[in-house]
Amino acid sequence: MGLYFRQLLSGQDYAVGDQVATQMVNFSYLIGDDETREAVVVDPAYSPDELVATLDADGMRLTGVLATHHHPDHVGGTMMGFDLVGVAQLIGSHPVPIHVQRAEADYVTRVTGLSATDLTPHDHDDVVEVGNVAIRLLHTPGHTPGSQCFLVPDPDGDRLVAGDTLFLQGCGRTDFPGGDTAQMYHSLQQLAALKGNPTVYPGHRYSPASHAPLAEVQRTNTVYRATSVQQFVAAFGS
């Protein structure tokens, strides 16, 4: 298996000049199989045509979308008075499956205007195969009810695309509708228990580094200082 993996920063690597993209510093990811040339895009909220053009330039073919959660800066929709084109525009020109966590499907349809038939809902520990790359879907509620992370196998060390569940510093907010601080604690513990020390790739660039080993994140991130759900809720609850 040859893994194709690109981390792209909104407002810098794509969507240059987009005010919202620049302010929100989202990461999108392109993940695929170097042999079959199939690839998926993670969280294409801004300039999806540019992301597809990047795949085309790399000789890759788009076969799906992975959505970490329903917020407009990840899948598109209205945000801060701006309309983000997102997955609705993407599948208009490239009709591919949009893989969402089952608990998030209704939220995604409301935010994006897509229909339920546009989405492919999944349960915890489902696998999406992209060529010979088997991406494991991890349900990590807390930021939203259906937030999910993606564990990507790599012979050189697995990669964890963590969305807004886990940043290199901090974690996703739990005071938005559907957020739950106790669930966030348990989701963070679930990620901490992953074997093999995967490299964490977050949903936003909220720290100088763009990625880091999970063991390093656990050592330096304040969200891992709490030793019980009660301590975590007291420290990070809304």
Side-chain angles (χ1 to χ4, degrees):
M1 179 193 74
L3 177 66
Y4 168 87
F5 188 97
R6 294 193 64 174
Q7 179 188 49
L8 301 173
L9 181 62
S10 68
Q12 176 176 304
D13 299 320
Y14 71 105
V16 175
D18 184 310
Q19 177 181 348
V20 180
T22 302
Q23 177 178 339
M24 297 301 294
V25 288
N26 285 89
F27 283 118
S28 286
Y29 295 90
L30 307 177
I31 307 171
D33 183 339
D34 267 335
E35 297 175 6
T36 67
R37 314 308 292 176
E38 298 170 69
V40 293
V41 58
V42 178
D43 290 354
Y46 317 99
S47 301
D49 290 344
E50 287 186 56
L51 296 171
V52 174
T54 299
L55 287 176
D56 291 342
D58 289 344
M60 305 296 289
R61 177 173 59 89
L62 181 69
T63 60
V65 173
L66 300 181
T68 61
H69 64 291
H70 75 273
H71 289 159
D73 58 318
H74 292 263
V75 295
T78 300
M79 183 176 186
M80 300 186 298
F82 293 90
D83 292 325
L84 311 183
V85 292
V87 292
Q89 183 187 81
L90 177 63
I91 68 166
S93 55
H94 298 81
V96 296
I98 302 170
H99 301 283
V100 302
Q101 212 285 328
R102 193 174 303 278
E104 201 79 352
D106 287 346
Y107 293 91
V108 173
T109 57
R110 290 200 294 268
V111 167
T112 63
L114 297 174
S115 67
T117 56
D118 293 319
L119 307 180
T120 300
H122 290 276
D123 297 311
H124 174 66
D125 244 1
D126 278 1
V127 170
V128 171
E129 295 185 354
V130 186
N132 297 307
V133 177
I135 302 174
R136 183 179 164 199
L137 277 52
L138 307 176
H139 182 203
T140 54
H143 183 56
T144 67
S147 286
Q148 60 179 349
C149 301
F150 309 120
L151 190 62
V152 182
D154 186 344
D156 296 325
D158 292 350
R159 307 183 188 215
L160 177 66
V161 178
D164 283 7
T165 297
L166 176 62
F167 305 126
L168 304 192
Q169 291 295 330
C171 64
R173 294 173 58 170
T174 59
D175 57 341
F176 291 137
D180 187 299
T181 308
Q183 283 188 331
M184 178 64 84
Y185 172 81
H186 293 299
S187 292
L188 294 173
Q189 296 306 306
Q190 173 191 336
L191 296 182
L194 291 172
K195 293 180 170 53
N197 192 26
T199 301
V200 177
Y201 288 85
H204 294 264
R205 188 165 192 171
Y206 289 158
S207 56
S210 59
H211 56 277
L214 178 58
E216 177 71 8
V217 175
Q218 289 177 255
R219 185 181 69 83
T220 59
N221 193 330
T222 57
V223 302
Y224 280 113
R225 292 181 184 170
T227 59
S228 69
V229 64
Q230 291 83 6
Q231 286 184 6
F232 186 86
V233 170
F236 297 102
S238 56

